[in-house]
Amino acid sequence: MRKVASGLGGYLGLAALLVIVVVLVATGVLSQRRWEPFGDVRVWRFILEGLLVTLQIGAVALVASLILAVPLALARLALPNPFRWVVVAWIELVRATPVLALILFITLFMPRDLMSPVWSATIALTIYTSAVLSEILRAGILAIPRGEVDAARSLGLTYPQTMRLVVLPQAFSRMMPALVSQLITLVKDTSLASIAAVSELAGYARSIHSFYGNPAETYFVIACIYFAINYTLSRIARRLELQRAKEPPVTLPPELETAEVQTVR
Amino acid sequence: MFGQITIENLDYLVQGYVTTIALSLGAMVVALIIGCVVASFRVWGGRVPSSAAVFYVEFFRNTPLLIQLFFFAVVLAPNNLGITADPFLVALIGLSLYTGAFATEAIRSGILAIDPGQVEAARSLGLSQLATIRLVVLPQAIRTVVPPLGNVASALIRNSSVASAIGTRELLFMGLLVANRTFSLEPLIGVLLGYWSLTLTLSLVLGRLERRLAFAR
């Protein structure tokens, strides 16, 4: 298996490289004229401006989602049934909706003079990301042994105190790798805001290539900028995961492990 | 009456719905093929194939699908290569390559989940290489791979909406078209129901499948 894969891989890789070079030469992508704008400082200053808008949307949406994810996760875990169903339906339906549809619909529903497209897009991304993060947080909460909650309660802590001092800090540290991965998705999804007339990095790409007439090169350069951000984030997520794996797992004596961890009261 | 505009333009929306299904199914099949090939390069390949596989996965996973689709739409444009690349085909290529990177990671985790000692044991018991793969490796790999691949497929259905940006006449595109023509936001509710029907059905089917495939514990 190893031999076949390595031999085939070499040939396929070579063939793919050949096809890419032929396509690039045929389309004139390799001509120097089309790359020249990226040697200009003013172009990079322009790109940086777009990048700042992207980072602003991403940062605001991330913080807002984190704040919203806590009540959503707790509501799904602890509310009595008819109210819980509403929360479950909200989370599941939002997660089943394409982000682009969410962004476009909210931009269309919001009157333009009331709210700029940047804020509509940020709200849409917040709605989506908060639903996903609440599920990640819920998994983190459910992974905490029931015995810890019981211990905290029997020590006289109230339910909010138990959550704030015992459960949530551990759940947050458990969800860190998944949170960083979701941040990568969020950064990628901010590019969809450009379709709703928001001028962020992807929107600036359009301005650059319609001015210089080099769309393929521009999109390649912009893709590399997104890659630099997201690859760094993915390395951080990986390191966090390895750190978690190194920590000794929490083990409880079997009589304290209860099978029923569906509801945290 | 509520729903009237949607019903009057139902043929447009149904056309978009069918295109979304075709696009997702096609891209999923191609992505699975890419995933199997690239994952085996990554795991069993030599230095060059495996680093090429890593490069492919990291680059396509960490850049926005929208930018990738715009790039392919430009490179495959009629005035470039003398071929007419229709938006559906461009979307199919772009979505396949993007989803293929995620499928590769899912399949790789399935391959790595199997203890190499099991393969050695099967071989020393006299099973042929093919029988080892068919009876020992695959049944276990499929069980590990189904849940993550299910998430990949669900994300693919939702990501297919991005194809509307390059003019593919799929569900979101058609919904916005009808909404523009009728000056009504009502068709957009139909669009949402369309996507929900697809993703929620998929997660229902996958839940069943996972329970059936689950290891006896």
Side-chain angles (χ1 to χ4, degrees), chain B residues 82 185 200:
Chain B
L185 293 178
L200 295 180

Coordinates of all heavy atoms in Angstrom, one line a residue, chain B residues 82 185 200:
Chain B
G82 N -10.4 29.7 -23.7 CA -11.2 29.3 -24.8 C -12.2 28.2 -24.5 O -12.7 27.6 -25.4
L185 N -40.2 39.8 0.4 CA -39.2 39.0 1.1 C -39.7 37.6 1.4 O -39.0 36.8 1.9 CB -38.8 39.7 2.4 CG -38.0 41.0 2.2 CD1 -37.7 41.6 3.6 CD2 -36.7 40.8 1.4
L200 N -31.7 19.1 7.8 CA -32.3 18.3 8.9 C -32.5 16.9 8.6 O -32.3 16.0 9.4 CB -33.5 19.0 9.4 CG -33.3 20.4 10.0 CD1 -34.6 21.1 10.5 CD2 -32.3 20.4 11.2

